[in-house]
Every structure is written in C-alpha cells, then in structure tokens.
Amino acid sequence: MDATDGPPVLKLGVSDAIAGLALSTEAHWNQTEEDWRVFLHDGIVFGIRDGMRLVATAALLPYSSNNAWISMVLVSATHRRRGFATRLVDACLETARKNGLTSWLDATPDGAAVYGPLGFTPTLQLRRLKLAKSKSSSGPAPAAATLEALRARDRRATGFDRTALLTAFAQRSGSRIAAANGCIALVRDGRIARHIGPLFADHAAEALALVDAIAQSETRPLLLDAVASQGAFLDGLTAAGWTIERPFQRMRFGPATIAAEDTPFAVAGPEFG
C-alpha cells in the first residue's frame, strides 16, 4: 500500500480528548484527559479514523522562539504497520515547516532509529524513573513556591516561554509547586502515577533532597524524567529506590534557535519537553 493510500489525515478538536485518552491508555501511558486538552486546545493534533473510531494520532505543540514539540505519536495495536505514524509525523513536520518552526521530540530507542534518517539531530538523553508507593505519607510537604518562580527557571533552562503550559499544569486539582534550598519542582497528577517535573536546582544533593521530601509527602506512585547527564542525581535516585523504566533521546529537526543557560534535573515529560 502506498503511504498516501488509506483513510485521510484529519485535524482533531477538543471534543476528541476522550478518544485520544483511549489511545494513550491502550499504550499504558500516563496522560490524563487534561493533558490531551492541552494538545488539542494549544497545539495541532492530527489523527486518522477507522470509521468513527480514532486509531492514530500525532501532536504538534508550539512554544516560543519558533519552536514546537512533536509528541503523542500513537497507533492502536489493531492498526499498526500501515504507515499511519509516518503520515502523521510528516503532517506535523510539514506544518512546522510552513510556520518556520524548529521541531523537537523525545524518542524511545526504536523511535530514534526511525527519526534519525528523517533528519532529526540527537541532543540530550533522558531516563524515566519510577518510585512505587505503598504506604501512607510519612513526612511534611515541602514549601510551596510561585508559578512565576517556576516559569523563570523553566525559561532559563529550556530557552522556551512555556507560561501557558505551566499555568495549565499548576491550576489543576492536585498540582503543587514545591521548593527548598534554591530548588523548585512541579508535581501533578497522571493517569497511573504522579509526575515530578520540571525540576530545577543548582546542585544534585539539593535536587535529591527536594525529590525525597516530595516522595515522603505523597502516597501514589511517582514518575520522573531525569536528564541523563545529571549523573549524581540519577545515582542518588536509584540508590533511594527509584527504578529506571526506559530511556528517551531528545532530538531536534531544524536549526538551533535557543541558548539555554542551565540544564534541568528533570523535564516536564517526553510529551511536553
């Protein structure tokens, strides 16, 4: 079958959030309906339907300085190996090209092998870690911090202005911005686990102390997407009982447009950057 054959690529709307959630749930991902609404409201989500059923998606989420994130590349198990993911990623890249955007994504090892030949350049690496929680909280919550403080650190580390995204995260029920000793992190709900990130700090020891304080005040499982080059931080997490679930390779398509001032210890997630 030719790559252009088959059902058409469509632009999805906010009303497709539940259908998108069904796809990410099938893949055992951590996104919530609120996450899908961010992509559908603030970005462009392409999809393919089989009749009325949504069977494949890919999202392009614009940020500042002519940058955008590609994510939510999902195909139902019943419709794989038909070229749907390639068509949807191509739609994202073409939209980014028309709008003069540099595209970024966080790829699994299998995905990186696909995206590399398309012209994506590897940048930093990530490690997703999980901490299982099976007992009641045993410690006080760390101090709260302001959204403005988080936004400022986020821009220094990413080069992007992600005020809209961070505001959406912070305003959700159950979200909090925690801080201690110059460190700051966002904690939010996910479908199967709470997520810590982004997380910014000046030193690994302080970052580890903040993560430990957060963990001691939580009861649900926790996920964290650590920057692999923060070796002391990664070592400290695994020593504290966190387990590495999978790696991700951050990749860029197009010219570099930003100059980050520092490196985060953990990111907002492979779907958000």
Side-chain angles (χ1 to χ4, degrees), residues 163-178:
T163 298
L165 176 69
L166 297 176
T167 300
F169 284 163
Q171 290 178 343
R172 294 179 186 177
S173 175
S175 292
R176 56 182 173 134
I177 301 172

Side-chain angles (χ1 to χ4, degrees), residues 6-258:
V9 171
L10 307 169
K11 285 187 180 180
L12 304 182
V14 174
S15 61
D16 292 299
I18 295 297
L21 180 62
L23 276 178
S24 56
T25 299
E26 178 190 334
H28 307 292
W29 290 6
N30 196 44
Q31 286 79 25
T32 64
E33 182 182 343
E34 290 174 302
D35 289 327
W36 274 99
R37 292 186 181 278
V38 168
F39 292 106
L40 291 160
H41 183 269
D42 298 332
I44 300 170
V45 183
F46 296 101
I48 294 175
R49 301 184 193 276
D50 184 352
M52 297 296 294
R53 180 188 170 207
L54 183 65
V55 297
T57 59
L60 182 72
L61 185 63
Y63 291 138
S64 68
S65 304
N66 297 323
N67 292 277
W69 218 264
I70 295 175
S71 60
M72 309 314 291
V73 181
L74 287 157
V75 181
S76 175
T78 58
H79 288 72
R80 290 175 187 160
R81 298 179 177 84
R82 303 187 192 185
F84 288 1
T86 298
R87 293 175 61 199
L88 291 167
V89 171
D90 284 346
C92 290
L93 288 173
E94 178 62 14
T95 301
R97 185 192 66 79
K98 288 180 178 178
N99 289 279
L101 301 175
T102 289
S103 299
W104 299 75
L105 55 76
D106 289 329
T108 63
D110 287 345
V114 173
Y115 296 128
L118 295 179
F120 281 85
T121 301
T123 59
L124 58 79
Q125 292 187 0
L126 305 173
R127 299 289 184 269
R128 166 153 287 194
L129 296 100
K130 184 173 184 178
L131 181 68
K133 300 288 290 185
S134 59
K135 58 184 179 180
S136 300
S137 58
S138 57
T146 66
L147 175 61
E148 177 57 28
L150 179 69
R151 188 202 66 78
R153 285 298 293 264
D154 187 74
R155 180 148 194 172
R156 279 172 49 193
T158 66
F160 304 146
D161 183 351
R162 302 196 296 182
T163 298
L165 176 69
L166 297 176
T167 300
F169 284 163
Q171 290 178 343
R172 294 179 186 177
S173 175
S175 292
R176 56 182 173 134
I177 301 172
N181 300 316
C183 309
I184 190 167
L186 177 74
V187 187
R188 70 182 193 274
D189 277 342
R191 187 183 64 84
I192 57 177
R194 297 267 283 168
H195 190 275
I196 301 174
L199 186 155
F200 308 104
D202 295 324
H203 305 286
E206 296 162 351
L208 288 166
L210 179 58
V211 170
D212 182 66
I214 292 170
Q216 291 299 319
S217 62
E218 294 280 344
T219 58
R220 292 185 61 197
L222 296 169
L223 292 176
L224 182 151
D225 295 298
V227 175
S229 62
Q230 302 283 17
F233 181 60
L234 266 175
D235 291 345
L237 290 173
T238 55
W242 290 75
T243 57
I244 296 177
E245 288 200 325
R246 65 181 64 90
F248 290 98
Q249 175 66 63
R250 181 157 294 181
M251 308 182 83
R252 186 187 74 243
F253 187 94
T257 62
I258 57 173

